[in-house]
Amino acid sequence: MTNLSERTFVDDLGRKVYLANPAQRIISLAPSVTEILFAVGLDSEVVGVTTFCDYPARAKLKPKIGSSTPNLEAIMGLKPDLVVGNHNFIRPDALAKLEQLQVPVFLLSPNSVDDILAHISTVGRIVGHEKEARGVVQGLRDRLNDLRRRMGSVKRVRVFYVVNSEPLISVGSGSFIHQMLELAGGENIVGRTSTAYPKVSLEEVLRRDPEVLLFPVGTSEGIPEAEQQQWRKWTSLSAVSQNRLYQVKGEFVNRPGPRVIEGIEILAQLFHPGLFSRRQGG
């Protein structure tokens, strides 16, 4: 994602977006995008968000424009000069309709934590808050570097992250969540798979014997409690015998926005509690 000129930007899909001036009426098509917009200092400029955008609290007060199939009439009524979305969160037909209506749409498609930080910087430039975005990114990088130092000598913990139960889906190296697990001192047992969200057989999980099972949870997403408990019947798994089945709020892990660093910190404390208790205790 690069700048072709001072006000021409190229998104992650290679689409060019030209803005004569920094965007002042912006609609977000994804919770992660909403979090980025507010993180770089916007508020009144955000004129519309999805029904899933619930952070920060001020985002809940914004007009709603739908979800992966946005309400085009509502969008046009808000008269945006820019729509920002996540490639995986918008249906292709909805994108095509927005393009037909000549609404500038800028799409993000992060595959790594570095991509997420780069997106914060780019969005900051697009909306005229480059300085604020630079400060946000620097603060996140400092926290990430501190975490890397802590994780430098730890023995990695074998981890299996459950995205979906039936079919059984996890995260591979093509997903930023995989990198989050690794940065937190985990070893993703299906990390060699280049697919972002690969289907996995139960037999493979049992053979690779994860020491930690992770389940995202939340109000609008996540693995139901009953499905989590089903794993306890596999008593041969190290994660089960050691009672290391953990829930993590999906908003900290599944949303490619500023809170992913907090998500990595949460994961690191789950994977290596002894390290953090020693640090906190001096």
Side-chain angles (χ1 to χ4, degrees), residues 109-116 159-161 163 169-183 186-200 204:
S109 184
N111 298 313
S112 69
V113 173
D114 279 340
D115 285 349
I116 297 168
V159 180
F160 183 64
Y161 185 90
V163 173
I169 297 175
S170 187
V171 293
S173 60
S175 166
F176 67 89
I177 301 175
H178 160 77
Q179 189 182 19
M180 292 177 69
L181 300 176
E182 299 278 318
L183 288 167
E187 177 190 339
N188 180 9
I189 65 167
V190 293
R192 294 183 180 179
T193 307
S194 59
T195 307
Y197 299 100
K199 290 184 180 180
V200 185
E204 182 180 4

Side-chain angles (χ1 to χ4, degrees), residues 34-253:
T34 298
E35 295 191 21
I36 291 174
L37 293 170
F38 277 93
V40 300
L42 300 190
D43 190 336
S44 61
E45 300 90 343
V46 181
V47 297
V49 300
T50 76
T51 53
F52 298 115
C53 295
D54 55 7
Y55 187 88
R58 298 189 305 280
K60 298 179 183 179
L61 305 176
K62 299 294 182 179
K64 303 300 186 289
I65 50 80
S67 55
S68 58
T69 305
N71 184 322
L72 296 178
E73 185 176 340
I75 290 177
M76 297 309 293
L78 292 169
K79 300 179 180 178
D81 49 25
L82 179 66
V83 172
V84 185
N86 185 301
H87 174 226
N88 296 319
F89 205 78
I90 182 172
R91 291 167 54 100
D93 57 337
L95 175 60
K97 289 178 181 177
L98 286 171
E99 290 177 329
Q100 288 173 7
L101 293 169
Q102 296 185 323
V103 177
V105 181
F106 194 85
L107 292 180
L108 311 176
S109 184
N111 298 313
S112 69
V113 173
D114 279 340
D115 285 349
I116 297 168
L117 298 180
H119 289 163
I120 297 172
S121 296
T122 300
V123 170
R125 290 196 300 272
I126 292 174
V127 301
H129 282 231
E130 185 172 1
K131 181 179 178 181
E132 293 90 336
R134 191 162 54 242
V136 170
V137 171
Q138 187 58 56
L140 295 176
R141 287 197 184 279
D142 288 345
R143 289 166 64 184
L144 190 55
N145 289 336
D146 177 67
L147 199 58
R148 282 192 170 110
R149 285 192 293 270
R150 291 189 182 216
M151 295 297 110
S153 59
V154 299
K155 182 180 183 296
R156 292 188 172 272
V157 176
R158 297 188 305 279
V159 180
F160 183 64
Y161 185 90
V162 183
V163 173
N164 191 72
S165 296
E166 292 185 11
L168 187 57
I169 297 175
S170 187
V171 293
S173 60
S175 166
F176 67 89
I177 301 175
H178 160 77
Q179 189 182 19
M180 292 177 69
L181 300 176
E182 299 278 318
L183 288 167
E187 177 190 339
N188 180 9
I189 65 167
V190 293
R192 294 183 180 179
T193 307
S194 59
T195 307
Y197 299 100
K199 290 184 180 180
V200 185
S201 69
L202 178 59
E203 291 73 20
E204 182 180 4
V205 177
L206 296 175
R207 180 171 57 83
R208 293 184 180 272
D209 188 29
E211 298 165 277
V212 169
L213 290 172
L214 273 178
F215 304 97
V217 295
T219 54
S220 60
E221 58 185 345
I223 307 300
E225 183 71 27
E227 294 179 12
Q228 297 176 38
Q229 294 304 318
Q230 284 292 316
W231 284 90
R232 292 193 178 276
K233 66 184 179 184
W234 304 106
T235 55
S236 64
L237 281 180
S238 295
V240 176
S241 63
Q242 297 169 20
N243 195 30
R244 300 193 72 183
L245 284 69
Y246 298 137
Q247 297 178 344
V248 59
K249 287 186 178 180
E251 61 195 78
F252 289 110
V253 184

